[in-house]
């Protein structure tokens, strides 16, 4: 079985968020169970290819918006694997991307429409040797339509994975024409563009042979209006055709120099170090952290910010690492300057993978109070580093955290319920039970092994469904 994974990012070459982690680690696990897998992403100027053996493998001519563009295909290996990563270079469309995850700007929808067309040209240039194209989120929403147009029934099967349904890639309707799709060719596109724009998530969902979400709970949630918004009208009809597979993490990306035997001593040292480097008061205080995109619609910023004064009053410390809209960066920065909180709050407005690891290692508790969370990796990474997650009972958080066992779970999305869970963490802090929970958390296995087997089975199922539909 030969599979091509198409996505907007792949860690460690390009990592803007959890999607990059997933695309960088799933292929590794699939390769180990015998799937022949390639990954294709845009080659942004920000791509980290230093130290990798990379070479140009071919040129593609990509028709787009009435012109023909040269796209250079570079090849490298995903570190520590034999997986080919194909990087598509074009100075007009890809050089400025890769800085901002989920910006959802019009220029991005144009960039990814071009990307989809280029991916299809690549598949054609490979003599259609792929059995399945695994598309990910709105960035890849037109691939199935374009394959259908270019190859008809001979096209490979397609699986579309929803990592976050609420980022949809809505662009001007001319993008469809730019990609080479004409009115009358696809009913769903005609219907979609009748209001003047195209929704690339909607197109990916409805055109692909099969759809999955990144956790079983999220697969159930996205058919409801609460989580699926207006797209729930579409997903509802697909009930039974959308499955959920929990993401895993690649532990080799998260170095750790302690284990379940010596975590107390080592985490204490990390805490003292980070208190020092972040200018926090030194001492044995419970440390609560928040490492995240500062996305006010998703990440629970509104309920989180309300509990911080109480948290500090109870003797805790609070550390933030994240970036987002200026307004929210400022709101958090103001906390650190509040005279009542000064010395016990550290706000770090940046994206820094190494600092993230230091914070995970030093923290006792990790907030993941997301309003919705398709899967979430932060809680899994936190557990690996012995930081107990405090999570809202949704999506992948529900599927990975057990209240009172390896973290804390609250049901209602309010600052009151978040505070109740935080208060339980305070009561637990320093007790024997705390150590037991940390050991449970550190021992929980979120590696890709199990989920990769599920993906392999799903690939097989989708390929045979596609074959059957040809007869
Ligand atoms: P999402 O994909 O919604 O951003 P996830 O929980 O799935 O959230 O994954 C987030 C990933 O990005 C984790 O690996 C986390 O450590 C990392 N991350 C988020 N913000 C930062 C930051 N400011 N600096 C470093 N790493 C970050």
């Amino acid at each position: 079985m030969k599979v091509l994974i198409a996505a907007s990012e792949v860690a460690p070459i390009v990592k803007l968020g959890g999607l990059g982690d997933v695309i960088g680690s799933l292929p590794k696990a699939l390769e180990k169970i015998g799937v022949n897998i390639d990954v294709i992403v845009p080659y942004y100027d920000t791509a980290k290819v230093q130290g990798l053996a990379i070479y140009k493998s071919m040129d593609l001519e990509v028709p787009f918006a009435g012109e023909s563009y040269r796209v250079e295909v570079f090849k490298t290996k995903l570190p520590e694997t034999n997986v080919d990563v194909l990087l598509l270079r074009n100075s007009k469309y890809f050089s400025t991307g890769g800085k901002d995850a989920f910006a959802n700007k019009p220029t991005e929808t144009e960039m990814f429409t071009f990307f989809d067309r280029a991916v299809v040209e690549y598949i054609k240039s490979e003599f259609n040797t792929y059995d399945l194209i695994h598309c990910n989120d709105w960035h890849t929403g037109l691939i199935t339509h374009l394959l259908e147009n270019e190859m008809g029934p001979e096209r490979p099967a397609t699986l579309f994975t929803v990592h976050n349904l609420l980022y949809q890639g809505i662009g001007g309707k001319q993008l469809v024409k730019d990609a080479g799709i004409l009115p009358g060719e696809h009913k769903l596109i005609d219907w979609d563009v009748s209001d003047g724009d195209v929704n690339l998530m909607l197109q990916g969902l409805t055109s692909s042979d099969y759809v999955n979400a990144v956790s079983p709970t999220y697969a159930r949630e996205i058919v409801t209006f609460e989580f699926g918004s207006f797209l729930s009208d579409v997903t509802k009809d697909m009930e039974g055709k959308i499955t959920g597979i929990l993401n895993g993490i690649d532990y080799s990306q998260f170095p750790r120099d302690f284990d379940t035997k010596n975590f107390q001593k080592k985490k204490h040292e990390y805490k003292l170090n980070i208190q020092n480097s972040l200018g926090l008061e030194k001492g044995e205080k419970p440390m609560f952290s928040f490492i995240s995109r500062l996305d006010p619609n998703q990440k629970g910023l509104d309920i989180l910010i309300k509990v911080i004064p109480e948290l500090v009053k109870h003797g805790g410390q609070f550390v933030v690492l994240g970036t987002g809209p200026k307004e929210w960066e400022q709101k958090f920065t103001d906390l650190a300057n509040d005279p009542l909180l000064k010395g016990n709050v550290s706000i770090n407005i940046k994206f820094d993978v190494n600092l993230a690891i230091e914070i995970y290692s030093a923290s006792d508790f990790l907030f993941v109070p997301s309003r919705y969370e398709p899967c979430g990796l932060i809680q899994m990474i936190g557990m690996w580093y012995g930081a107990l997650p405090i999570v809202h009972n949704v999506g992948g958080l529900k599927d990975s955290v057990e209240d009172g066992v390896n973290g804390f779970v609250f049901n209602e999305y309010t600052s009151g319920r978040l505070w109740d869970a935080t208060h339980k963490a305070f009561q637990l802090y320093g007790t024997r039970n705390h150590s037991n929970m940390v050991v449970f958390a550190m021992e929980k296995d979120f590696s890709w092994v199990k989920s990769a087997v599920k993906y392999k089975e799903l690939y097989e199922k989708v390929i045979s469904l596609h074959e059957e539909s040809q007869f």
Side-chain angles (χ1 to χ4, degrees):
M1 178 173 26
K2 193 170 175 199
V3 174
L4 177 67
I5 298 188
S8 58
E9 48 180 301
V10 57
I13 299 168
V14 189
K15 167 166 160 165
L16 302 169
L19 176 62
D21 284 328
V22 172
I23 307 301
S25 48
L26 171 62
K28 268 191 194 178
L30 284 168
E31 182 186 42
K32 288 200 183 113
I33 52 172
V35 182
N36 181 352
I37 196 128
D38 295 343
V39 176
I40 191 162
V41 290
Y43 195 167
Y44 310 113
D45 287 355
T46 52
K48 293 198 182 77
V49 291
Q50 299 84 344
L52 297 181
I54 183 162
Y55 66 94
K56 184 170 152 185
S57 98
M58 67 163 100
D59 281 326
L60 297 170
E61 284 303 322
V62 178
F64 193 73
E67 313 248 347
S68 180
Y69 292 89
R70 174 152 301 175
V71 169
E72 298 172 277
V73 181
F74 286 78
K75 252 189 190 178
T76 186
K77 297 278 183 203
L78 197 60
E80 297 151 39
T81 70
N82 210 20
V83 172
D84 278 330
V85 178
L86 306 147
L87 294 142
L88 302 185
R89 171 171 273 173
N90 176 273
S91 58
K92 177 167 176 190
Y93 287 106
F94 298 139
S95 62
T96 55
K99 293 182 188 123
D100 232 343
F102 311 120
N104 212 4
K105 295 182 205 126
T107 48
E108 287 218 315
T109 49
E110 188 183 5
M111 168 166 70
F112 286 106
T113 303
F114 180 77
F115 174 66
D116 290 1
R117 181 76 217 200
V119 169
V120 170
E121 293 306 319
Y122 174 74
I123 295 165
K124 280 160 53 186
S125 79
E126 290 294 285
F127 308 106
N128 192 19
T129 45
Y130 292 103
D131 299 298
L132 181 136
I133 312 301
H134 180 175
C135 303
N136 292 277
D137 266 356
W138 68 263
H139 316 93
T140 55
L142 289 180
I143 288 180
T144 304
H145 284 308
L146 289 166
L147 286 171
E148 192 87 50
N149 278 14
E150 298 289 316
M151 299 175 188
E154 294 300 308
R155 71 165 172 84
T158 55
L159 170 68
F160 187 79
T161 300
V162 180
H163 296 259
N164 193 331
L165 190 75
L166 297 189
Y167 291 92
Q168 298 172 358
I170 296 172
K173 69 173 188 181
Q174 87 293 341
L175 289 179
V176 172
K177 207 162 126 226
D178 292 348
I181 298 171
L182 301 176
E185 283 182 338
H186 297 281
K187 272 202 205 102
L188 266 158
I189 296 191
D190 293 342
W191 171 73
D192 182 4
V193 300
S194 61
D195 60 355
D197 53 37
V198 60
N199 182 319
L200 297 175
M201 176 62 89
L202 171 70
Q203 291 309 324
L205 277 174
T206 50
S207 62
S208 308
D209 294 319
Y210 211 86
V211 173
N212 80 301
V214 290
S215 68
T217 297
Y218 193 55
R220 287 191 292 275
E221 289 172 342
I222 57 176
V223 304
T224 66
F225 184 75
E226 187 188 352
F227 292 95
S229 175
F230 75 93
L231 276 187
S232 61
D233 278 345
V234 175
T235 47
K236 238 181 0 228
D237 289 341
M238 298 168 69
E239 230 175 329
K241 235 190 92 182
I242 305 181
T243 180
I245 301 178
L246 192 69
N247 285 334
I249 54 174
D250 172 5
Y251 287 105
S252 74
Q253 298 294 310
F254 301 101
R256 189 186 73 183
D257 63 356
F258 54 90
D259 56 28
T260 49
K261 291 189 191 71
N262 63 358
F263 71 88
Q264 273 154 322
K265 181 168 170 284
K266 289 295 270 188
K267 281 184 72 72
H268 181 67
E269 284 167 19
Y270 272 107
K271 191 186 282 186
L272 294 179
N273 281 341
I274 209 142
Q275 284 173 329
N276 202 21
S277 60
L278 299 182
L280 290 166
E281 284 174 15
K282 282 202 149 188
E284 195 37 82
K285 294 178 158 209
M287 183 175 281
F288 295 77
S289 300
F290 181 64
I291 300 175
S292 181
R293 290 182 294 111
L294 301 182
D295 175 345
N297 298 320
Q298 182 184 353
K299 297 295 183 181
L301 311 181
D302 52 348
I303 60 170
L304 177 62
I305 204 158
K306 289 196 189 126
V307 305
I308 305 312
E310 202 60 26
L311 182 155
V312 172
K313 226 196 287 173
H314 276 70
Q317 291 188 325
F318 179 57
V319 177
V320 170
L321 175 63
T323 58
K326 286 276 152 306
E327 182 201 348
W328 276 96
E329 292 183 347
Q330 194 56 49
K331 280 189 190 184
F332 277 107
T333 306
D334 290 346
L335 276 183
N337 297 327
D338 180 329
L340 289 175
L341 309 180
K342 229 179 159 92
N344 287 306
V345 171
S346 166
I347 307 296
N348 306 277
I349 302 295
K350 55 181 155 178
F351 193 95
D352 183 335
V353 172
N354 294 330
L355 180 56
I357 289 175
E358 286 174 43
I359 296 173
Y360 285 123
S361 304
S363 300
D364 301 296
F365 305 103
L366 196 71
F367 284 120
V368 197
S370 308
R371 186 189 292 274
Y372 71 95
E373 193 59 75
C375 177
L377 300 176
I378 306 244
Q379 77 281 12
M380 302 181 189
I381 305 168
M383 285 190 235
W384 165 244
Y385 286 103
L388 298 178
I390 300 174
V391 308
H392 182 207
N393 198 18
V394 286
L397 302 173
K398 184 179 185 142
D399 294 338
S400 56
V401 182
E402 282 177 83
D403 189 39
V405 178
N406 52 18
F408 299 92
V409 181
F410 62 96
N411 288 315
E412 224 179 279
Y413 183 80
T414 61
S415 54
R417 296 296 81 78
L418 171 59
W419 171 251
D420 292 343
T422 308
H423 192 241
K424 279 195 210 158
F426 269 105
Q427 287 173 322
L428 179 84
Y429 182 69
T431 64
R432 196 192 186 96
N433 212 10
H434 185 186
S435 304
N436 292 341
M437 280 180 72
V438 171
V439 170
F440 275 131
M442 288 176 71
E443 283 177 345
K444 181 94 189 171
D445 180 7
F446 290 109
S447 65
W448 269 104
V449 181
K450 277 186 256 148
S451 298
V453 171
K454 291 191 180 139
Y455 266 102
K456 186 180 177 189
E457 287 166 0
L458 184 58
Y459 289 165
E460 284 161 352
K461 173 175 166 172
V462 179
I463 291 168
S464 63
L465 279 176
H466 175 65
E467 278 165 4
E468 280 163 25
S469 73
Q470 305 308 312
F471 293 107

